[in-house]
Amino acid sequence: MLSRAITVTESRLSDDRQLAASILKNILPHTGNALRIGITGVPGVGKSTFIESFGSYLTSINKKVAVLAVDPSSQRSRGSILGDKTRMEKLAHHPLAYIRPSATGLFLGGIARSTREIMLLCEAAGYEVIIVETVGVGQSETLVKNITDFFLLLMLAGAGDELQGIKKGIMEMADAIAINKADGDNVQAVANALNAYQNALHLFPKPESGFTTQVLRCSALENSGIDEIWDLIRKFEKATKDNGFFEKNRQAQNLNWMHDHIRQSLEDQFYGNAEVKSKLLALENGVKEGKELPGSAAQDLLDIFLRTRRS
Ligand SMILES: Nc1nc2c(ncn2[C@@H]2O[C@H](COP(=O)(O)OP(=O)(O)O)[C@@H](O)[C@H]2O)c(=O)[nH]1
Ligand SMILES: [Mg+2]
């Protein structure tokens, strides 16, 4: 039933959109109870392995876990999904777990919409922890940060920040950082990196959540440090529920969601408008050739659009 509902929400057919809207309206009272966790980090850091380990830990303490993936690049290569499925083999077969690979063929805005809706469907289906994995490519991080309660950044030891392609902005977004692959010969390097990141974080402004960003270590492969990360997340949840940030953040996210819808819907209507379509190319060419000012060309198109809406 959950999978079928998700398929309907991901569809762009107008009949399906209507059905999806009515499903979402009806499940709304049953949503909002899960803890929503975003996980990010560069490819190869071990996100999928971590989610297998972390998710299995959660199921072992009887939590129902849903895993969603936000991967804009999967439009191009479908390989990552296949890789993820094999890395999450154990979790994928656990009766308390549900894994949904990312929707393909959607633009980022579409991914955002469908991920939020899928999250609500999972909550209504009784999943208590929702994990959203995203690949570290900038824009999708902001997206996942904007739909989750807790944002975990996975990092590696032994490589400079630049090498890992992690921007300062992403470190600032993180509610916690976990250095993965703390096993074998890597243990000392992880200890050093832990210090370095902790020092770096001192220079950052205090997070809006009021919860000081911590650096932990783990080995997704050997399942170590996983329970500490869950403990930290629970502490974060308690602290932010006590200080009001948790609720405030969700409210802001919901408003943001509404405005996303408005923007998206206006844009769809504008570019789908027959009159606009018929004038668009000529005005675009005028702008390219410097014969039209971008602002006045835009205004002309908006006037055309508004005129057709009035008549
Ligand atoms: N030694 C070690 N290897 C790991 C660990 N976690 C993941 N890996 C390996 O790192 C590679 C990339 O892992 P994957 O989960 O696919 O990374 P993702 O691209 O971030 O999802 C795989 O070969 C994993 O087996 C870990 O904790 N320790
Ligand atoms: Mg992965």
Side-chain angles (χ1 to χ4, degrees):
M1 184 70 88
L2 177 59
S3 293
R4 280 168 57 198
I6 290 176
T7 305
V8 170
T9 39
E10 283 182 339
S11 164
R12 273 170 290 181
L13 300 176
S14 100
D15 279 0
D16 284 345
R17 294 302 316 149
Q18 268 176 24
L19 178 58
S22 115
I23 294 172
L24 288 166
K25 208 181 175 88
N26 282 294
I27 62 154
L28 193 64
H30 308 284
T31 64
N33 297 321
L35 192 59
R36 305 163 179 174
I37 302 173
I39 294 186
T40 193
V42 293
V45 70
K47 294 179 294 297
S48 303
T49 314
F50 176 84
I51 291 169
E52 162 88 348
S53 171
F54 183 65
S56 299
Y57 170 75
L58 293 176
T59 57
S60 80
I61 56 169
N62 264 325
K63 296 271 178 209
K64 283 186 79 178
V65 185
V67 179
L68 315 175
V70 170
D71 182 2
S73 64
S74 61
Q75 299 165 37
R76 276 169 274 132
S77 74
R78 303 188 58 131
S80 61
I81 298 167
L82 240 127
D84 282 352
K85 276 225 149 159
T86 53
R87 293 212 211 300
M88 297 187 203
E89 190 120 47
K90 216 173 99 206
L91 191 60
H93 291 104
H94 198 286
L96 291 178
Y98 181 78
I99 298 183
R100 182 82 185 181
S102 59
T104 50
L106 290 178
F107 55 100
L108 206 59
I111 293 173
R113 192 198 71 202
S114 74
T115 307
R116 279 168 172 142
E117 293 176 350
I118 294 168
M119 199 158 70
L120 296 185
L121 291 169
C122 290
E123 288 180 347
Y127 289 89
E128 300 159 279
V129 181
I130 318 268
I131 300 173
V132 188
E133 174 185 353
T134 179
V135 66
V137 291
Q139 251 190 318
S140 68
E141 256 111 19
T142 313
L143 189 159
V144 171
K145 169 81 179 169
N146 281 339
I147 62 174
T148 51
D149 304 313
F150 184 91
F151 197 56
L152 179 68
L153 171 62
L154 290 185
M155 292 191 80
L156 294 173
D161 297 354
E162 289 83 358
L163 269 180
Q164 291 193 41
I166 291 292
K167 297 194 189 74
K168 183 164 166 278
I170 291 170
M171 273 181 84
E172 271 178 354
M173 266 187 226
D175 295 305
I177 294 172
I179 307 177
N180 190 32
K181 309 198 185 182
D183 47 48
D185 296 342
N186 209 22
V187 170
Q188 187 53 46
V190 170
N192 296 342
L194 198 124
N195 274 325
Y197 287 134
Q198 244 153 9
N199 288 335
L201 283 172
H202 284 314
L203 305 173
F204 285 22
K206 191 163 171 63
E208 213 193 321
S209 66
F211 192 84
T212 307
T213 313
Q214 290 188 39
V215 191
L216 299 174
R217 75 192 92 188
C218 65
S219 166
L221 209 59
E222 296 184 349
N223 303 312
S224 67
I226 303 297
D227 45 351
E228 278 95 343
I229 293 174
W230 176 241
D231 285 347
L232 182 75
I233 296 175
R234 294 312 296 265
K235 277 200 199 115
F236 174 93
E237 184 188 11
K238 171 143 194 354
T240 55
K241 279 184 173 166
D242 287 349
N243 72 14
F245 176 80
F246 191 94
E247 192 50 36
K248 206 180 91 188
N249 189 42
R250 283 236 177 141
Q251 285 172 356
Q253 290 179 345
N254 282 340
L255 278 185
N256 189 1
W257 187 353
M258 183 184 92
H259 288 289
D260 273 356
H261 259 278
I262 293 174
R263 270 189 293 270
Q264 193 59 57
S265 169
L266 282 173
E267 204 178 300
D268 289 350
Q269 287 176 51
F270 178 80
Y271 287 107
N273 183 288
E275 293 276 323
V276 169
K277 274 188 192 166
S278 73
K279 299 280 188 323
L280 188 62
L281 192 65
L283 281 164
E284 276 183 349
N285 284 332
V287 168
K288 271 196 279 191
E289 290 157 16
K291 289 179 186 147
E292 295 271 359
L293 280 169
S296 63
Q299 195 55 55
D300 287 351
L301 288 167
L302 286 165
D303 288 342
I304 292 167
F305 176 65
L306 291 173
R307 214 178 305 123
T308 61
R309 302 293 294 181
R310 260 183 245 114
S311 58

